[in-house]
mmCIF file of all heavy atoms in Angstrom:
data_model
loop_
_atom_site.group_PDB
_atom_site.id
_atom_site.type_symbol
_atom_site.label_atom_id
_atom_site.label_comp_id
_atom_site.label_asym_id
_atom_site.label_seq_id
_atom_site.Cartn_x
_atom_site.Cartn_y
_atom_site.Cartn_z
ATOM 1 N N LEU W 265 6.022 -27.228 31.780
ATOM 2 C CA LEU W 265 5.002 -28.064 32.431
ATOM 3 C C LEU W 265 4.148 -28.715 31.347
ATOM 4 O O LEU W 265 3.544 -28.024 30.526
ATOM 5 C CB LEU W 265 4.106 -27.219 33.334
ATOM 6 C CG LEU W 265 4.780 -26.444 34.459
ATOM 7 C CD1 LEU W 265 3.723 -25.910 35.416
ATOM 8 C CD2 LEU W 265 5.793 -27.287 35.210
ATOM 9 N N GLY W 267 2.153 -31.737 32.111
ATOM 10 C CA GLY W 267 1.332 -32.782 32.726
ATOM 11 C C GLY W 267 -0.123 -32.345 32.712
ATOM 12 O O GLY W 267 -0.537 -31.569 31.850
ATOM 13 N N LYS W 269 -4.439 -32.899 32.846
ATOM 14 C CA LYS W 269 -5.443 -33.761 32.230
ATOM 15 C C LYS W 269 -5.823 -33.339 30.810
ATOM 16 O O LYS W 269 -6.399 -34.123 30.052
ATOM 17 C CB LYS W 269 -6.698 -33.767 33.095
ATOM 18 C CG LYS W 269 -6.459 -34.296 34.510
ATOM 19 C CD LYS W 269 -7.757 -34.684 35.167
ATOM 20 C CE LYS W 269 -7.654 -35.189 36.595
ATOM 21 N NZ LYS W 269 -6.368 -35.475 37.167
ATOM 22 N N SER W 271 -8.271 -31.849 29.890
ATOM 23 C CA SER W 271 -9.667 -32.297 29.727
ATOM 24 C C SER W 271 -10.445 -31.414 28.756
ATOM 25 O O SER W 271 -11.301 -31.907 28.024
ATOM 26 C CB SER W 271 -10.356 -32.371 31.081
ATOM 27 O OG SER W 271 -10.188 -31.167 31.771
ATOM 28 N N ARG W 272 -10.130 -30.127 28.715
ATOM 29 C CA ARG W 272 -10.880 -29.262 27.789
ATOM 30 C C ARG W 272 -10.491 -29.523 26.343
ATOM 31 O O ARG W 272 -11.312 -29.450 25.446
ATOM 32 C CB ARG W 272 -10.637 -27.786 28.143
ATOM 33 C CG ARG W 272 -11.363 -27.350 29.405
ATOM 34 C CD ARG W 272 -10.880 -26.022 29.903
ATOM 35 N NE ARG W 272 -9.539 -26.108 30.505
ATOM 36 C CZ ARG W 272 -8.823 -25.087 30.912
ATOM 37 N NH1 ARG W 272 -9.306 -23.871 30.781
ATOM 38 N NH2 ARG W 272 -7.631 -25.260 31.453
ATOM 39 N N LYS W 277 -2.254 -31.617 25.452
ATOM 40 C CA LYS W 277 -2.109 -30.331 24.741
ATOM 41 C C LYS W 277 -0.733 -30.155 24.107
ATOM 42 O O LYS W 277 -0.610 -29.533 23.051
ATOM 43 C CB LYS W 277 -2.365 -29.172 25.700
ATOM 44 C CG LYS W 277 -3.836 -28.908 25.916
ATOM 45 C CD LYS W 277 -4.058 -27.644 26.709
ATOM 46 C CE LYS W 277 -3.793 -27.847 28.181
ATOM 47 N NZ LYS W 277 -4.176 -26.681 28.998
ATOM 48 N N ASP W 321 6.090 -35.946 37.849
ATOM 49 C CA ASP W 321 5.578 -35.226 39.021
ATOM 50 C C ASP W 321 5.836 -35.999 40.306
ATOM 51 O O ASP W 321 5.533 -37.188 40.387
ATOM 52 C CB ASP W 321 4.060 -35.011 38.891
ATOM 53 C CG ASP W 321 3.722 -33.843 37.986
ATOM 54 O OD1 ASP W 321 4.515 -32.885 37.932
ATOM 55 O OD2 ASP W 321 2.661 -33.887 37.339
ATOM 56 N N CYS W 349 2.777 -25.679 28.267
ATOM 57 C CA CYS W 349 3.016 -26.265 26.938
ATOM 58 C C CYS W 349 1.882 -25.928 25.977
ATOM 59 O O CYS W 349 1.758 -26.534 24.921
ATOM 60 C CB CYS W 349 3.169 -27.786 27.051
ATOM 61 S SG CYS W 349 1.637 -28.596 27.574
HETATM 62 N N1 LIG U 194 3.715 -31.378 35.389
HETATM 63 C C1 LIG U 194 2.431 -31.017 35.482
HETATM 64 N N2 LIG U 194 1.956 -30.083 34.647
HETATM 65 C C2 LIG U 194 0.634 -29.758 34.754
HETATM 66 C C3 LIG U 194 -0.230 -30.372 35.691
HETATM 67 N N3 LIG U 194 -1.479 -29.851 35.528
HETATM 68 C C4 LIG U 194 -1.384 -28.959 34.538
HETATM 69 N N4 LIG U 194 -0.109 -28.889 34.058
HETATM 70 C C5 LIG U 194 0.408 -28.037 32.995
HETATM 71 O O1 LIG U 194 0.095 -26.701 33.335
HETATM 72 C C6 LIG U 194 -0.307 -25.962 32.191
HETATM 73 C C7 LIG U 194 -1.702 -25.411 32.412
HETATM 74 O O2 LIG U 194 -2.559 -26.499 32.587
HETATM 75 P P1 LIG U 194 -4.146 -26.308 32.691
HETATM 76 O O3 LIG U 194 -4.671 -25.857 31.372
HETATM 77 O O4 LIG U 194 -4.465 -25.450 33.859
HETATM 78 O O5 LIG U 194 -4.634 -27.769 33.057
HETATM 79 P P2 LIG U 194 -4.726 -29.061 32.170
HETATM 80 O O6 LIG U 194 -4.928 -30.185 33.117
HETATM 81 O O7 LIG U 194 -3.553 -29.147 31.229
HETATM 82 O O8 LIG U 194 -6.009 -28.877 31.261
HETATM 83 P P3 LIG U 194 -7.578 -28.936 31.668
HETATM 84 O O9 LIG U 194 -7.863 -30.327 32.161
HETATM 85 O O10 LIG U 194 -8.300 -28.609 30.402
HETATM 86 O O11 LIG U 194 -7.763 -27.886 32.756
HETATM 87 C C8 LIG U 194 -0.194 -26.924 31.013
HETATM 88 O O12 LIG U 194 1.080 -26.720 30.426
HETATM 89 C C9 LIG U 194 -0.263 -28.296 31.657
HETATM 90 O O13 LIG U 194 0.432 -29.277 30.903
HETATM 91 C C10 LIG U 194 0.323 -31.373 36.562
HETATM 92 O O14 LIG U 194 -0.364 -31.972 37.410
HETATM 93 N N5 LIG U 194 1.645 -31.643 36.409
#
Side-chain angles (χ1 to χ4, degrees):
L265 301 192
K269 299 198 182 350
S271 52
R272 286 167 287 174
K277 280 188 283 188
D321 280 329
C349 66

